[in-house]
Amino acid sequence: DTFLDSSWYFLRYCDARNTEEAFNYDKVKYWMSVDQYIGGVEHAMLHVMYSRFFQMALYDIGLVSTEEPFTNLLTQGMVIKDGKKMSKSIGNVVSPAEIIEKYGADTARLFILLAAPPERELDWSDAGVEVSYRFINRVYRMVREFKEKYGSGSTDYAIAGDGDKELVYAMNATIKKVTEDVRELFNFNTAISSIMELVNEMYHYKESDEVNENLFRLAIQNLLLVMAPFTPHVCEELWQQLGMEESIHKMQWPVFDEAALVKDAVEIVVQINGKIKDKIQVPTALTQKELEERALGNDKIKTLVGGMTVVKVIAVPGKLVNIVVKP
């Protein structure tokens, strides 16, 4: 009975209060097919197979307008603890209530999404829970300190120095990364990692001598917006503390600025016979020939290749220069 009912329940959801028929053809045509199906690896084998069979049969007799019930499938991994699948029957289950009581629901959410890609097995780690908890507190302290020091105000800014440029780049790169990872790839773990990198950059920036108040306020707002899907409760709390009247979960998703992702300078690797010997900052607009000259003119590289014959120089703009030498 459970397999029978679960093989077409999604059709009933489209017209749940219909007392005359299982479902109305036009309503099912409006809602189906399901855009994204997410299920465990064990669940997916039988449920997906049976659901597809039912849908195809109903399609053949003219009761539905689509032959496939689901457009996309994401098969999520199992949770592993102490080398075994987490299961009540084994007795190795970690109660969410205990984690929520000690750390809060946001920590539990963040750890689960950060620990592994959704399609991979997740190794449960108490230390990993602590890391997620400390990160949330780090964000909380930073936002509170900013609020106490600067209060509410404008987010209109003008770039005043290299520190501003780096923060603008990090902010826009993070928005781009999180947007793509969540919307297209379901890579929640890498999205969260990019958010953590932004927070590191923001801490570095706020400890500098010149803090652009309006720019930092914008960075904080965008940080909370991209964090909100992962840690909804603390982000809503901090959003309200910043003086916002509307819920953060009703706000528009931030849009990254492509122009801000073009750096004036870039760090490239300099190799000698394929081995890294130095890293140098060069203007992004350098030609291949100019890049070769800049690498060969570096004091450290000149010392290392001194007395040897340069056979050839391979320059890849924006990435590396490899100098091939022989005695």
Side-chain angles (χ1 to χ4, degrees), residues 73-89:
L73 169 65
L74 172 64
T75 303
Q76 62 191 32
M78 309 290 289
V79 180
I80 306 298
K81 189 173 188 293
D82 301 326
K84 298 179 180 179
K85 179 182 71 173
M86 192 178 285
S87 170
K88 290 181 180 179
S89 61

Side-chain angles (χ1 to χ4, degrees), residues 293-310:
E293 293 172 353
R294 186 68 65 94
L296 290 169
N298 177 270
D299 291 338
K300 182 178 179 180
I301 300 302
K302 283 197 293 186
T303 301
L304 291 172
V305 301
M308 291 190 284
T309 302
V310 176

Side-chain angles (χ1 to χ4, degrees), residues 196-267:
M196 290 179 166
E197 291 174 4
L198 174 60
V199 171
N200 288 339
E201 181 64 33
M202 291 174 71
Y203 261 89
H204 176 74
Y205 178 80
K206 80 181 186 68
E207 291 164 4
S208 63
D209 295 332
E210 298 293 335
V211 173
N212 186 325
E213 175 189 330
N214 291 1
L215 171 58
F216 201 66
R217 182 178 290 107
L218 178 62
I220 284 176
Q221 290 181 15
N222 282 328
L223 168 66
L224 294 178
L225 286 167
V226 296
M227 272 188 67
F230 309 106
T231 54
H233 305 94
V234 69
C235 288
E236 178 71 10
E237 170 68 19
L238 291 172
W239 191 253
Q240 297 299 325
Q241 289 186 22
L242 289 174
M244 306 299 185
E245 296 181 0
E246 190 73 89
S247 168
I248 193 171
H249 304 298
K250 294 182 179 180
M251 304 303 295
Q252 290 291 322
W253 187 255
V255 178
F256 60 89
D257 180 5
E258 284 282 6
L261 298 177
V262 180
K263 284 191 168 185
D264 296 330
V266 64
E267 184 179 72

Side-chain angles (χ1 to χ4, degrees), residues 7-237:
S7 296
W8 69 278
Y9 70 92
F10 41 86
L11 299 172
R12 180 64 180 176
Y13 281 171
C14 299
D15 192 14
R17 292 182 172 82
N18 192 332
T19 59
E20 303 298 324
E21 53 192 346
F23 47 81
N24 177 268
Y25 178 92
D26 290 332
K27 288 186 177 181
V28 169
K29 183 177 180 180
Y30 174 81
W31 287 107
M32 294 294 286
S33 295
V34 174
D35 295 309
Q36 181 67 53
Y37 179 107
I38 301 175
V41 61
E42 293 180 335
H43 185 68
M45 289 177 62
L46 295 179
H47 181 260
V48 172
M49 182 174 68
Y50 293 158
S51 297
R52 294 185 69 214
F53 176 85
F54 266 63
Q55 183 81 8
M56 290 176 185
L58 292 169
Y59 176 79
D60 287 345
I61 61 177
L63 294 181
V64 295
S65 61
T66 56
E67 195 169 9
E68 289 286 355
F70 316 120
T71 303
N72 295 296
L73 169 65
L74 172 64
T75 303
Q76 62 191 32
M78 309 290 289
V79 180
I80 306 298
K81 189 173 188 293
D82 301 326
K84 298 179 180 179
K85 179 182 71 173
M86 192 178 285
S87 170
K88 290 181 180 179
S89 61
I90 299 175
N92 64 345
V93 173
V94 176
S95 171
E98 296 175 10
I99 300 171
I100 292 170
E101 178 68 25
K102 184 176 181 180
Y103 299 105
D106 282 339
T107 295
R109 288 169 60 95
L110 190 68
F111 165 70
I112 291 170
L113 295 172
L114 175 63
E119 71 277 6
R120 298 282 297 276
E121 292 181 344
L122 186 159
D123 284 312
W124 187 265
S125 164
D126 293 335
V129 175
E130 286 280 357
V131 168
S132 297
Y133 180 67
R134 289 198 298 270
F135 172 70
I136 292 173
N137 276 278
R138 195 166 184 241
V139 172
Y140 189 91
R141 288 194 303 271
M142 180 176 67
V143 177
R144 288 288 300 166
E145 288 172 6
F146 179 86
K147 171 64 176 175
E148 291 170 3
K149 186 173 182 178
Y150 297 106
S152 301
S154 173
T155 55
D156 293 331
Y157 69 91
I159 294 177
D162 290 339
D164 288 3
K165 288 181 180 179
E166 289 298 321
L167 182 57
V168 169
Y169 176 85
M171 177 179 66
N172 283 278
T174 300
I175 295 171
K176 184 176 190 291
K177 176 68 172 170
V178 176
T179 301
E180 293 174 349
D181 280 352
V182 172
R183 183 177 61 194
E184 301 170 12
L185 305 172
F186 286 86
N187 288 342
F188 305 123
N189 58 318
T190 55
I192 295 170
S193 295
S194 68
I195 292 172
M196 290 179 166
E197 291 174 4
L198 174 60
V199 171
N200 288 339
E201 181 64 33
M202 291 174 71
Y203 261 89
H204 176 74
Y205 178 80
K206 80 181 186 68
E207 291 164 4
S208 63
D209 295 332
E210 298 293 335
V211 173
N212 186 325
E213 175 189 330
N214 291 1
L215 171 58
F216 201 66
R217 182 178 290 107
L218 178 62
I220 284 176
Q221 290 181 15
N222 282 328
L223 168 66
L224 294 178
L225 286 167
V226 296
M227 272 188 67
F230 309 106
T231 54
H233 305 94
V234 69
C235 288
E236 178 71 10
E237 170 68 19

